[in-house]
Amino acid sequence: MLPGGQETAAALMAQQQQQQLQVVHQQQQLQRQMEMRQAQLQQQQQQQQQQQVGGDAKRARTGGLEEDEEDHSNPQHEAEATLAAAQDAAEEEVQTLALVFQPYRPKRVTEAAMGHPVGSTHPETIVEAASMASVPPPEPTYRPSLSPALLVPQQEGESSRLSEVQYETVVYAGQAHCRRVQPEPGLSCARGFYIGDGTGVGKGRQIAAVILDALAQGHRRAIWVSLSADLLYDARRDLSDLGAADGSDALPVFRLHQLRYGPLTAEDDLGDGVMFATYSALIAANKAGERRLDQLVTWAADGGDPGMFQGVLAFDECHKAKHAATDGRLRPTKTGEAVIELQRRLPRARVLYVSATAASEVRDLAYMERLGLWGAEPGAPFPTFGEFCTEMTRGGIAAMELLAMDLKARGLLVSRMLAFAGCTFEVTIAKLTADQRALYDAAARLWERVIDLFDAAAAAAGDANCPYSAALASGGSSGSTAGKHVWAAHQQFFRQLLNALKARAVIEQTEQALVRGYSVVLGLMSTGAARMADAELRAEKAAAAAGDGSGTLQEAVSAPAEILRALLEKHVPVSGCDAALVARRDALVTALEALPMPPTALDIVVSHFGPDLVAEMTGRKKRLVIAPDGSARTETRAKPNVPLDQVNLHERAAFLRLDKRVAIISEAASAGISLHADRAYANTQPRMHITMELAWSAEKQLQQFGRTHRARQASAPHYKLLVSDVGGEARFAATIAKRLAALGAITRGDRRGASGASFAQFDFDTSHGQRALEQLYRAAGDAHLEGKIWDRFRKALEVRKAASDAKAAGVSPEQVDQQARSPLPLQTIARMALARSFETLNSLKARVERKEMAQTDLQWVAQLRQQADRHRTAHSLTRLHTVVRLVPPGAESPLPTARLLEDAARWLIQMRLADPDTGAVPDGPDHKNVPKFLNRMLGLPVRAQRQLVDLYAALLAALRGVDRVQGAGGDAPANLPGERIRHRNGPSGQVVHLDEASGAATLLYELECDLGVSWAGAQSRFRDALALHGAGG
C-alpha cells in the first residue's frame, strides 16, 4: 500500500490519464467521421461534374441556351465551394469537440472535503467548456440535510440515487440560498441559483434533491413551475426516484391548473407537498379577475405571511420567462412579468433557475434578479438591470463568456452537459427540382404584385376610408400596421413554402435512414394547424351558402397559400377605397388559386408514411390525411380511450416500443420528451435527427436537439440539418448560428459550447457580416448610378447618330424626330465598354504603345470618363472599384462583377430596401440589418437569390481574409502578434476585485508584445528566403 498522499496522487494521475485517453479517442473517432464525410462529398462532386458534362453537351445541341434558363452560375465552382465549405466545417467540428469541452468531475465537493460520501460517479461522461473548467468554484461551506442513503449505492455494482455532479448542485444551491440580495431598494431576498446543465446531467433530479433538502429542514412546501402539464409525470418520477413519493410519508404533488378559481378552501384538500404549475397557469385568470398566481402565493403562505415562505421555488425551463423587460421595441411578456412578481411576493423562497438555454441575449436575463448581478445591496456590480444590460451588450459575446465564468466562480452557476462523443452533425442541401424552382419563381412574381398593391394603397393614404400609411414603401419600418402585416406574412409564406418543397427530400432522407437501421426523428416548428382551421371555416361557410350541411375539407390545405389569402382578404379593405385596388386584390386571389401550391409539409410527410407508422408529437388536435389522388380527410389525432391531453405521451411510448420508427416533433414537444435510444426501452436503434425547419430561436432549436441526445443512450444520434438551395433560407440558419453562439457564451462560458455543432458557415450576422452588407449596399448604389450614367450616354449617342443619319439622307432638321435613335456602330460600343471598365488610363496607354488600340480610341475613352465624372457623387467610383477588386469575376465566369452589382441594385429596389431612383439604401439601422436583408431576399426568384447570396458571401469572405492577415478576429478571440510576449505585472496577475461572499477574484493580466523582429529572427527569415529561392546558405 502506498502512503495516503502518494495513493491520492497516483489516483489523480490515473484519472487524468484516463481523461486524456477519452479525449484522444474522441478526436480519433471524429477524425474518422470527417474523412468518411469528405469522401462522400468528393463522390457527390464527381457526380455533379458528370452532370455538368452532360449539361454542356445538351447546351451544345441547343445552341448554348435552354429555354427560360439563362443561368450565369458555374456548377463546377459551386460544387467545389460547397465541398470546401463542408470540409472546413468538418475540420472545425473536430477541433471544437476536442478543444472546447473537457471531462468534468467536481473539484471541491469531494468526500475528503465534505467528510461523507458525495455520490457515485455520474453514469455517463459529463463535460464542461474548457473556459469554464479554468475557473474553480468557491470552497463549499454548506452541508445539505439529505439522507445519506441517497449518496451510497443500495446494492453492489449499482450507482447511488444522486451522482456526485448532482450532489454538487445541492451543495452550491444551498450555499447561495443562505445569502441575501436586493433586486431593488427596500426588497431583501434570498439569493437564487442557476442550474444551466445541458442534457444528460439530470436537471429534474437536481430540483427534486434541492426540494428534499429544504423539506428535511422543515420547509414542507415547494413550487415547481415548468412548460407543460405533461412534465408533471417527469416531476413525480424524479421525486419518486429519490424516495419522496414512496411509503405512507409520500410527498404529494398538486396541479395548480386543476384547482377551482377563487379562494382556497378545505374542500380543495391541499396540504404540504409540491405544487406543480405551468407558465401558462401563472398568467391565467377567470372572467372575474381571479388569478392562479394569487392562489399559488396563498397556498405557499399556508395561512401566514407570504414573506415567510422559505420553500423551494423552481423555475424549470426558465427560458420561457425571457423578454421580462422592455427594450424599446417589444413590451414585456405576461409570463416574464408573472415570474418576477412571484419572486417578489415570496422574497425568502429558495429560487432555482433551471434551463440549458436560459438566454441568448443579455436582455433575456431580466427575470434572473436573484443572482445579484444588479441590485441595491452593497457590492452589487450594477445598480439596475438597464445598466447591466447596456454594459454587457456593449462587451459582446466575450462579455457574456466572462459573465458565465464569473457566476461559476461565485458559486451561482453549474453548467455541465453530456459529452458529444459519438454525435455527428451534417448539413444537407435539398436541391429544388426544375418544377419547384418554377413554382417558387411564380410565387415570387405574385408577391411582387402583392407588394405593388400595398404600395398603391399606401399612396392612397390621404383617403380617410383607406387605412394605410406610406411607410410600406420604405419597408414598413416606421410602424405602419400594413407594412408589418405584409412583411410578416411575406416571411411566413416563403418559410412554409420552403418547408413544403423540402418535404420530398425529407421523405427520401427518412427512407434511406430506415433502410440503414435508424429510427428517425423529424424536427419542425410549425404544424399549419391555424391555417387548417382557416380553411375549415371557409369550407363551412361555402357549404352553408350552397346549402350543403357537411362543410368538411375535401382537399389538402396549403399553409403558404392560406397565409397569403388571409393577408389579402383581411388587410386589404373591400369598401371605401379605390375600386381599382379592390379589383387588383381580387385578381391576386384568383392568381393565387391558379398556382399549384403544395400542401402543408407536415401533412405531406405524415400522409406518405401513414399515421400508423408515424409518432406525431405536436400541439394540433386534428390532422389532414392526403390520399394519392389528392383528396383529403380530416381525423382526430387521439385514438379511442386516449385523452387528448395525453396523445403525445402515447405516441412517444409507441416510438420507444418500436411500434413506430418515425417520430415528428414540433415546438409543442420540444421540451421534456425523451426520444433517444434509451437502453430501458425496446427501441435502441440509432437515431437520425433531421431538422426540416429551423426554429425561430436558438433556445428552441437546442431544446429540439436535446430530445435525441440524453443519458443512458445505447448510441449517440446523428443530426442532419436540411437546408434548401434557395439563397434566402440562409437567413434562418444565420439567425440560429448567431443565437447559438450567444447562448453558448451565456450558459456555457464559451460561444462554441451550446450544441457542439459547427454552424460557422451560416454565421452571417457578425461584425464582418454587417460590414460586408454595408459594402454591398454602397457598391450596388454606385453600380446603379454608373448604369444610369452610361445608359444616358448611350441614349444621347444614339439620338446623335439618328440625327447624323437623317442629315446624310438629306432629311431637313425640321423633319427629324427628336426622340429617334439609331443603333451605334460596333467601334463606339467598344469604346464605351472600355471607358466603363476599371482598366486604368496608364494600362490603356500601354496598349496604344503596343499598337493594340488606336490613339483615337484612347482619346474617346478619356473624354467619356471626364464627362461621367461630372455626374458621379464623391468617391462613388472608388468605392465601386474597391468592391470589384474584393470580388474578382473569375476566369471562367461569364458574368462581370460590375454587371452583377447593377442587378443587385435592381433586386434591392424590388426588396424595398433601396431607393428606386438612386439605387442606394438610405443611411440608418438597415445598413447593418443582416436578418432583414436575408429575409426580404426570400421574395426574389431562385437564381437572383443565389447570385445575391454568392456576392454577399464573397464580400464576407474577402473581409474576413483581410482581417485574418492583419491579425484582427472580428467577433472571434484575437491572436496577439509579436516576436516576444511577456507579463508586465507578473504571471499571477493583479487582483482588481474580490467577492467577499465567495472569495472569487477578478484578475488583470497585462501583456507586453514586441512587434519587432529580433536579430536571430531576422537571420532565420533570411535563411528561409534564400532556401526558398535556391540561393544556398
Side-chain angles (χ1 to χ4, degrees):
M1 289 290 291
L2 293 170
Q6 296 181 14
E7 185 177 0
T8 302
L12 287 174
M13 185 177 297
Q15 177 185 339
Q16 291 173 354
Q17 291 175 349
Q18 182 180 5
Q19 293 174 353
Q20 292 173 354
L21 288 173
Q22 289 176 347
V23 172
V24 171
H25 175 69
Q26 292 174 15
Q27 291 175 330
Q28 293 174 345
Q29 187 176 17
L30 289 168
Q31 184 66 33
R32 288 193 297 269
Q33 292 167 355
M34 185 190 73
E35 292 172 354
M36 293 174 61
R37 189 178 309 169
Q38 289 177 345
Q40 294 172 354
L41 288 167
Q42 289 173 352
Q43 183 178 3
Q44 293 174 5
Q45 180 191 17
Q46 293 173 358
Q47 294 173 354
Q48 290 172 346
Q49 291 174 346
Q50 292 172 0
Q51 293 172 0
Q52 173 65 14
V53 171
D56 291 341
K58 181 178 180 180
R59 280 189 290 273
R61 294 192 302 270
T62 58
L65 288 176
E66 298 180 34
E67 185 178 2
D68 297 331
E69 191 64 28
E70 184 186 356
D71 197 339
H72 300 291
S73 61
N74 190 315
Q76 181 176 355
H77 288 175
E78 290 178 4
E80 292 174 353
T82 301
L83 176 63
Q87 290 173 341
D88 291 342
E91 291 173 0
E92 182 179 346
E93 184 177 313
V94 172
Q95 296 171 359
T96 296
L97 294 179
L99 301 177
V100 172
F101 301 107
Q102 290 187 3
Y104 183 84
R105 294 285 300 276
K107 294 181 179 179
R108 291 186 167 170
V109 179
T110 62
E111 185 170 348
M114 302 297 291
H116 58 73
V118 294
S120 305
T121 303
H122 200 73
E124 303 287 345
T125 302
I126 301 299
V127 297
E128 183 183 39
S131 57
M132 293 285 278
S134 67
V135 178
E139 292 289 348
T141 58
Y142 178 79
R143 297 298 183 267
S145 302
L146 291 172
S147 169
L150 298 177
L151 304 175
V152 294
Q154 294 179 315
Q155 297 181 8
E156 186 176 354
E158 294 184 352
S159 298
S160 58
R161 284 186 279 182
L162 270 184
S163 70
E164 58 181 3
V165 296
Q166 294 167 343
Y167 181 67
E168 181 186 35
T169 298
V170 181
V171 172
Y172 284 118
Q175 193 161 309
H177 293 152
C178 293
R179 304 181 193 134
R180 311 293 291 178
V181 294
Q182 291 186 47
E184 61 180 19
L187 179 63
S188 179
C189 303
R191 190 185 288 270
F193 186 79
Y194 174 22
I195 303 177
D197 289 335
T199 181
V201 183
K203 294 187 291 293
R205 186 166 296 197
Q206 292 175 80
I207 296 174
V210 175
I211 290 175
L212 291 185
D213 181 39
L215 180 70
Q217 299 175 41
H219 309 301
R220 302 195 58 81
R221 297 194 176 197
I223 300 172
W224 191 323
V225 186
S226 195
L227 275 179
S228 68
D230 291 346
L231 300 180
L232 167 71
Y233 303 99
D234 294 327
R236 282 180 172 163
R237 179 204 62 209
D238 291 320
L239 289 166
S240 177
D241 288 344
L242 297 182
D246 299 337
S248 59
D249 194 28
L251 189 66
V253 180
F254 309 109
R255 307 184 189 197
L256 178 65
H257 63 278
Q258 290 188 344
L259 298 179
R260 296 174 298 175
Y261 279 102
L264 300 180
T265 65
E267 295 180 2
D268 294 312
D269 192 24
L270 298 176
D272 296 336
V274 177
M275 182 65 74
F276 185 89
T278 62
Y279 287 99
S280 58
L282 290 185
I283 61 175
N286 62 8
K287 294 182 180 179
E290 296 171 320
R291 303 192 306 163
R292 292 292 191 198
L293 193 148
D294 296 329
Q295 290 181 308
L296 189 58
V297 172
T298 300
W299 174 82
D302 191 17
D305 180 7
M308 301 305 295
F309 172 75
Q310 297 184 53
V312 173
L313 173 55
F315 293 106
D316 190 15
E317 308 294 354
C318 61
H319 53 271
K320 184 68 175 177
K322 68 178 185 176
H323 304 316
T326 180
D327 63 351
R329 296 175 299 168
L330 302 172
R331 295 181 57 189
T333 62
K334 291 183 179 180
T335 302
E337 291 178 324
V339 167
I340 290 179
E341 179 186 349
L342 184 58
Q343 293 180 82
R344 294 185 178 183
R345 293 179 66 178
L346 302 173
R348 301 184 69 182
R350 304 174 179 219
V351 173
L352 292 176
Y353 305 109
V354 186
S355 175
T357 57
S360 59
E361 296 184 48
V362 175
R363 62 185 177 90
D364 293 340
L365 295 172
Y367 66 92
M368 290 188 170
E369 59 180 22
R370 294 284 192 97
L371 294 180
L373 297 172
W374 64 90
E377 74 272 11
F382 299 93
T384 65
F385 172 72
E387 294 183 56
F388 163 79
C389 187
T390 299
E391 291 298 323
M392 295 302 299
T393 302
R394 185 178 296 128
I397 291 183
M400 299 178 194
E401 292 171 331
L402 291 174
L403 172 63
M405 290 187 278
D406 176 73
L407 287 173
K408 180 188 175 183
R410 292 198 285 157
L412 301 176
L413 166 67
V414 288
S415 180
R416 300 78 49 103
M417 65 195 307
L418 186 64
F420 278 96
C423 293
T424 51
F425 297 85
E426 177 185 0
V427 179
T428 299
I429 305 299
K431 292 192 174 183
L432 271 58
T433 65
D435 290 341
Q436 288 177 330
R437 287 198 303 271
L439 173 61
Y440 194 100
D441 290 349
R445 290 191 294 271
L446 179 62
W447 261 98
E448 188 175 2
R449 293 171 57 192
V450 170
I451 296 174
D452 286 342
L453 171 63
F454 278 86
D455 277 340
D463 186 348
N465 294 320
C466 199
Y468 289 95
S469 83
L472 180 66
S474 61
S477 59
S478 61
S480 88
T481 302
K484 291 179 180 178
H485 282 306
V486 170
W487 295 116
H490 179 275
Q491 181 175 354
Q492 294 168 6
F493 175 91
F494 286 105
R495 181 181 174 95
Q496 292 297 329
L497 178 58
L498 285 173
N499 289 341
L501 296 180
K502 288 190 295 185
R504 173 186 57 84
V506 169
I507 291 171
E508 292 176 357
Q509 295 284 339
T510 301
E511 290 178 337
Q512 293 173 9
L514 293 174
V515 171
R516 292 163 55 192
Y518 284 93
S519 284
V520 180
V521 177
L522 303 176
L524 48 74
M525 285 292 119
S526 52
T527 62
R531 309 305 169 189
M532 178 179 169
D534 292 342
E536 282 185 311
L537 181 61
R538 189 171 60 254
E540 291 173 1
K541 290 181 178 179
D548 183 359
S550 63
T552 58
L553 289 173
Q554 303 293 327
E555 58 185 14
V557 174
S558 173
E562 291 298 324
I563 290 169
L564 182 50
R565 180 188 290 272
L567 175 70
L568 293 171
E569 293 182 347
K570 296 179 181 179
H571 299 289
V572 176
V574 294
S575 63
C577 282
D578 187 349
L581 293 178
V582 179
R584 289 173 63 180
R585 189 279 311 267
D586 294 341
L588 287 172
V589 173
T590 302
L592 173 64
E593 293 173 344
L595 279 180
M597 297 298 290
T600 303
L602 179 59
D603 292 334
I604 295 176
V605 176
V606 173
S607 299
H608 175 83
F609 292 102
D612 293 336
L613 298 179
V614 176
E616 180 187 336
M617 286 157 276
T618 65
R620 64 179 186 173
K621 299 177 181 179
K622 295 185 292 183
R623 61 182 161 218
L624 271 177
V625 180
I626 306 170
D629 61 359
S631 62
R633 72 176 192 277
T634 305
E635 66 178 26
T636 179
R637 286 185 55 222
K639 293 185 177 180
N641 302 321
V642 176
L644 196 58
D645 62 351
Q646 296 185 20
V647 171
N648 287 345
L649 296 177
H650 280 259
E651 292 289 274
R652 170 182 173 271
F655 181 73
L656 295 179
R657 289 196 306 266
L658 204 55
D659 295 342
K660 301 181 177 183
R661 293 180 59 199
V662 178
I664 299 180
I665 55 176
S666 69
E667 180 182 352
S670 293
I673 290 183
S674 298
L675 299 174
H676 61 298
D678 196 331
R679 300 188 193 98
Y681 294 92
N683 189 358
T684 57
Q685 292 182 337
R687 302 298 194 251
M688 174 79 75
H689 189 140
I690 302 176
T691 300
M692 59 186 295
E693 179 187 7
L694 284 166
W696 292 100
S697 69
E699 296 93 337
K700 292 177 181 179
Q701 192 60 59
L702 200 58
Q703 288 286 344
Q704 273 209 356
F705 286 160
R707 299 314 96 211
T708 50
H709 180 50
R710 306 182 74 81
R712 302 190 307 272
Q713 61 188 12
S715 59
H718 177 74
Y719 293 100
K720 182 171 290 191
L721 180 63
L722 197 64
V723 182
S724 74
D725 58 349
V726 175
E729 195 177 15
R731 177 254 188 255
F732 304 113
T735 300
I736 293 303
K738 172 81 171 178
R739 295 295 180 84
L740 281 174
L743 184 63
I746 292 177
T747 60
R748 304 270 178 265
D750 193 302
R751 67 197 71 189
R752 302 162 295 179
S755 65
S758 173
F759 294 104
Q761 66 267 43
F762 295 114
D763 195 1
F764 294 154
D765 195 9
T766 62
S767 61
H768 283 125
Q770 294 167 2
R771 286 168 52 201
L773 186 61
E774 287 186 292
Q775 290 267 26
L776 172 61
Y777 283 165
R778 290 195 173 96
D782 295 337
H784 184 76
L785 174 62
E786 285 291 304
K788 294 182 71 173
I789 290 172
W790 293 103
D791 285 345
R792 193 180 304 124
F793 284 179
R794 187 183 70 252
K795 180 179 179 181
L797 289 172
E798 289 173 346
V799 170
R800 187 185 303 174
K801 178 71 165 51
S804 176
D805 292 344
K807 183 178 181 180
V811 179
S812 64
E814 295 80 6
Q815 297 177 324
V816 175
D817 183 0
Q818 298 300 317
Q819 300 299 320
R821 296 162 63 178
S822 296
L824 297 176
L826 183 61
Q827 184 182 36
T828 303
I829 295 175
R831 287 169 172 172
M832 288 190 66
L834 275 176
R836 193 174 178 180
S837 72
F838 293 117
E839 190 170 357
T840 64
L841 283 177
N842 288 334
S843 175
L844 294 175
K845 290 177 181 177
R847 285 204 200 187
V848 173
E849 292 174 358
R850 295 194 302 267
K851 302 192 181 307
E852 295 176 0
M853 64 180 293
Q855 180 69 29
T856 308
D857 293 334
L858 179 61
Q859 293 173 352
W860 261 82
V861 169
Q863 185 178 2
L864 284 170
R865 288 185 176 181
Q866 288 176 358
Q867 293 177 4
D869 283 339
R870 300 191 187 102
H871 298 273
R872 293 190 180 106
T873 58
H875 310 300
S876 63
L877 186 62
T878 303
R879 290 195 307 247
L880 181 59
H881 196 181
T882 300
V883 171
V884 170
R885 282 191 291 107
L886 281 175
V887 189
E892 300 181 25
S893 175
L895 185 65
T897 305
R899 161 75 184 282
L900 180 57
L901 286 167
E902 286 186 47
D903 289 341
R906 177 168 49 84
W907 296 328
L908 292 174
I909 293 171
Q910 184 176 334
M911 293 157 62
R912 300 306 193 269
L913 292 174
D915 183 272
D917 294 327
T918 65
V921 177
D923 290 334
D926 283 350
H927 257 262
K928 294 185 178 182
N929 196 334
V930 175
K932 185 174 183 178
F933 163 70
L934 294 173
N935 178 33
R936 296 285 180 88
M937 192 193 301
L938 284 170
L940 297 177
V942 174
R943 184 163 61 250
Q945 287 191 50
R946 188 173 63 210
Q947 292 179 347
L948 193 55
V949 164
D950 287 347
L951 177 60
Y952 171 68
L955 278 170
L956 177 59
L959 291 176
R960 283 174 173 168
V962 169
D963 278 0
R964 192 178 300 115
V965 170
Q966 295 177 350
D971 294 327
N975 294 321
L976 294 177
E979 182 79 13
R980 290 175 298 178
I981 300 176
R982 69 179 185 87
H983 291 282
R984 290 186 59 181
N985 58 349
S988 300
Q990 174 188 353
V991 177
V992 294
H993 177 74
L994 187 65
D995 184 68
E996 296 180 1
S998 64
T1002 301
L1003 301 176
L1004 172 65
Y1005 290 94
E1006 295 182 359
L1007 302 177
E1008 186 177 90
C1009 302
D1010 184 354
L1011 300 180
V1013 181
S1014 66
W1015 175 249
Q1019 287 182 314
S1020 176
R1021 295 186 185 187
F1022 179 68
R1023 285 193 296 269
D1024 291 342
L1026 290 177
L1028 179 64
H1029 295 285

